[in-house]
Amino acid sequence: MNVDKALSKVLVELGENSYAIQIGCGAIELLGQEISKLGFKSGARVLVVSQQAVAQHYGQQLLNGLNREGFLTELLLLPSGEDQKNPASISKIHNAAYTHQLERSSLIIALGGGVIGDMAGFAAATWLRGIAVVQVPTTLLAMVDASIGGKTGVNHPGGKNLIGAFHQPKLVLIDPNTLSTLPQREVRAGLAEVIKYGVIGEPVLFDALEQHAKLGSIDEIGESLLLQILKRSAAAKARVVAADEREGNLRAILNYGHTLGHVLETLTSYEKYLHGEAVALGMLAAGELSLQLGLWPAADQQRQRQIIERCGLPLTTPRFEAEEVRNCLLRDKKVIAGRVRFVLPTGIGAVVIRDDVTLDAAIEALASISH
């Protein structure tokens, strides 16, 4: 993709915690300049957290830009995989922060996908009771979702993201060029979160996806639609986060597809599905639940199913024991007074939050997409 040094900006308006999402091809080269604009001085200590598969392509490029601005940089590489998203990995980041002598005026940069972003953000939230973090997402899923909004954390053996903190970044820098080295499966997984935005409140984005016959790769998506996806998704999440920073009510709509998706991830030990794949299945199951409850028409469920299929995402899941699903749902971190909150679609572009859905109905909806 072409290099465009003019960055598009989306603002996440959170008062004194406000920050910009900067989007532009070649933006990774400008990170040092953008951080300097935020007030970080030459000589400030910076720890970059990444993984080998990402750093081999973009690590030196990012470090060069930081070093040109006079920052004292260190690169920490962590193993890849959702199973690495645990407290032991956070200890590795804290140890690197100690060795590199990070101070309260220092900065941690997350260079990678959602797993790296979540861990680096949580480590920043807990080092010296909170230091600055900058997100540089390199997967589509992280660009449109995980890097924005300040939710950080790691998994507990009993469930996903049970250990965490809200810690807003100082900046999110999105360089679409980094997607050129992203495996096709990861691209498709990221599109699940894009579909989510379409269903919960961005029907124009959903329509734009429907106009493409194939969406399974960056080449098939094309530069024009990709930039529209990034900007519209970032703006959609920014609006929701600005209205509800700590998931009191409205922000819960961002969990569309996630409640049942997390069940699938947990019951398969995070080994079978990428996060976006599980979310796609969770959206299908939530759509079936809406059909059961008469909340939306079969035609809309069919549209959702077709766009998920067009993106090359899974449409069916293995069958699980009802009791396993029930126990998993009751351990969801969004349970309030024993009630599970479900985000359910009422049409393309609109959802409701319900806590009166029986677990039996949810189990049946998940079973309906099982084989």
Side-chain angles (χ1 to χ4, degrees), residues 76-292:
L76 171 67
L77 299 181
L78 296 177
S80 60
E82 181 77 27
D83 61 333
Q84 299 298 319
K85 192 175 158 182
N86 56 46
S89 294
I90 300 300
S91 291
K92 291 179 182 177
I93 303 175
H94 285 160
N95 290 341
Y98 180 80
T99 301
H100 192 47
Q101 299 178 329
L102 295 197
E103 307 164 347
R104 285 188 171 162
S105 60
S106 300
L107 173 68
I108 291 178
I109 295 174
L111 174 67
V115 170
I116 288 293
D118 278 3
M119 292 194 298
F122 184 53
T126 49
W127 184 249
L128 302 179
R129 297 192 176 91
I131 66 170
V133 65
V134 165
Q135 297 281 351
V136 185
T138 59
T139 68
L140 182 58
L141 190 146
M143 288 178 182
V144 300
D145 186 68
S147 66
I148 305 165
K151 284 170 74 172
T152 71
V154 295
N155 300 330
H156 181 274
K160 188 177 172 72
N161 294 329
L162 293 180
I163 306 164
F166 285 97
H167 190 57
Q168 299 295 343
K170 296 296 183 184
L171 170 71
V172 177
L173 190 88
I174 296 174
D175 186 343
N177 286 351
T178 62
L179 297 177
S180 64
T181 53
L182 189 66
Q184 198 159 295
R185 187 182 174 194
E186 294 274 3
V187 173
R188 293 168 174 173
L191 285 170
E193 296 284 359
V194 179
I195 296 168
K196 176 193 78 175
Y197 288 122
V199 176
I200 69 173
E202 286 285 325
V204 173
L205 180 57
F206 195 95
D207 291 344
L209 294 175
E210 284 188 313
Q211 289 168 22
H212 271 62
K214 293 184 179 180
L215 292 162
S217 70
I218 290 297
D219 287 341
E220 287 172 350
I221 293 168
E223 185 172 349
S224 176
L225 179 59
L226 177 60
L227 290 174
Q228 185 179 356
I229 283 171
L230 294 175
K231 292 173 186 177
R232 283 191 175 274
S233 298
K237 184 152 190 183
R239 281 196 302 274
V240 175
V241 171
D244 181 12
E245 182 179 359
R246 291 179 177 261
E247 205 169 277
N249 188 17
L250 174 65
R251 186 166 175 169
I253 70 173
L254 295 172
N255 291 317
Y256 177 56
H258 286 60
T259 300
L260 291 168
H262 284 170
V263 169
L264 297 176
E265 288 179 289
T266 301
L267 293 181
T268 56
S269 303
Y270 305 104
E271 293 174 353
K272 182 175 178 62
Y273 298 113
L274 296 178
H275 176 63
E277 293 169 341
V279 167
L281 290 164
M283 290 190 292
L284 279 176
E288 290 296 325
L289 196 47
S290 274
L291 277 179
Q292 287 178 32

